[in-house]
Amino acid sequence: MASKTKKAQFDVQAQLEQVANQFQTLQILNEEGEVVNESAMPDLSDEQLQELMTRMVYTRILDQRSISLNRQGRLGFYAPTAGQEASQLASQFALEKEDFILPGYRDVPQIIWHGLPLSQAFLFSRGHFQGNQIPEGVNVISPQIIIGAQYIQTAGVALGMKKRGAKAVAITYTGDGGASQGDFYEGINFAGAFKAPAIFVVQNNRFAISTPVEKQSAAKTIAQKAVAAGIPGIQVDGMDPLAVYAAVREARERAINGEGPTLIETLTYRYGPHTMAGDDPTRYRTADLDSEWEKKDPLVRFRKFLENKGIWNEEKENAVIERAKEEIKEAIKIADEAPKQKVTDLMNIMYEELPVNLKEQYEIYAAKESK
Ligand SMILES: Cc1ncc(C[n+]2csc(CCOP(=O)(O)OP(=O)(O)O)c2C)c(N)n1
């Protein structure tokens, strides 16, 4: 006769709720641009606040122009960023130049503001090798296409920094979908075990292409996944630039003080399609959901906040928009002037010494290209 399974001596439901409830959302600026959490307010000067706004406005324009260039056939791969500016740019703004960014494919704005020339970002989009030749002193790698792979690389880069005694951090980004990958867990676990100075950001924009976050995981928050790795996890309002900045700045301080990595979940939304390669968000998102999130827009609330402080106005914003348009025009011109990519270029970059089986192919292409 089958024996009855003995009931566990603890309350499973209570345990799940206890973990999830630890993760309240950090917000400093509400949708009206009012400070609702004075004690968490980061220490930023008026100039810094204006610079952060400048970067967000500029990046919104860059997104619009990139979409249009893509439609004209002048850009290749492009993943829209509108809606995610606070999550992307306030987190980069909390870094120092010596910090290292390992981006995902949607995280091009962060690496541009960390020093990658715009023309190279355009060349990356076109699949041109020069887009991946990161200038010396710019601490970024090319955007990762393999979902989650950058989480493992970040643990390694951060450990390297620790071993060298560098007072710097490695920061990486993935989406809510990425937080379901094995690489995500390996990365945070390894960094936690070695107290590596890493910051792991998950930009939870609610959809992995068309899959809603609710179907992605049974966990109530992504931040709570930090618990299993034994590291701090924090959930922030990803439409609030001040909350994102404060969380990343604090994580950075902990990391360089030898206290190890942090997982940060930013609650955000992408207004556009997943990429420009034919995704139609109306097939999996409602107009109501879109407008609910558009009301939380990071630029709108930050603009209100700065205007109330008397340090932002239409004239300043228009100047940023004009500057962005000019610089984008110039950068695309530079990208257009890049030499036509050759097959031998790819081989030369990939290998210091060509493997035997490619040598023959190399000769064939070299002969063709020299004609
Ligand atoms: C390992 C791997 N599996 C699948 C894909 C195909 N893919 C590209 S984007 C994507 C969804 C990712 O969603 P999320 O991590 O939420 O990031 P978001 O695009 O929303 O920023 C998938 C499955 C991939 N690039 N790599």
Side-chain angles (χ1 to χ4, degrees), residues 105-106 145-147 174-178 181 205 207-209 274:
Y105 48 81
R106 205 180 300 287
I145 305 288
I146 309 163
I147 306 293
T174 192
D176 38 292
Q181 286 287 99
N205 64 12
F207 291 89
I209 313 184
H274 169 69

Side-chain angles (χ1 to χ4, degrees), residues 343-362:
V343 176
T344 48
D345 288 332
L346 297 178
M347 293 186 184
N348 284 332
I349 287 157
M350 194 67 140
Y351 300 98
E352 190 167 303
E353 204 176 309
L354 277 180
V356 188
N357 60 337
L358 283 184
K359 275 191 179 147
E360 194 184 336
Q361 290 184 33
Y362 187 91

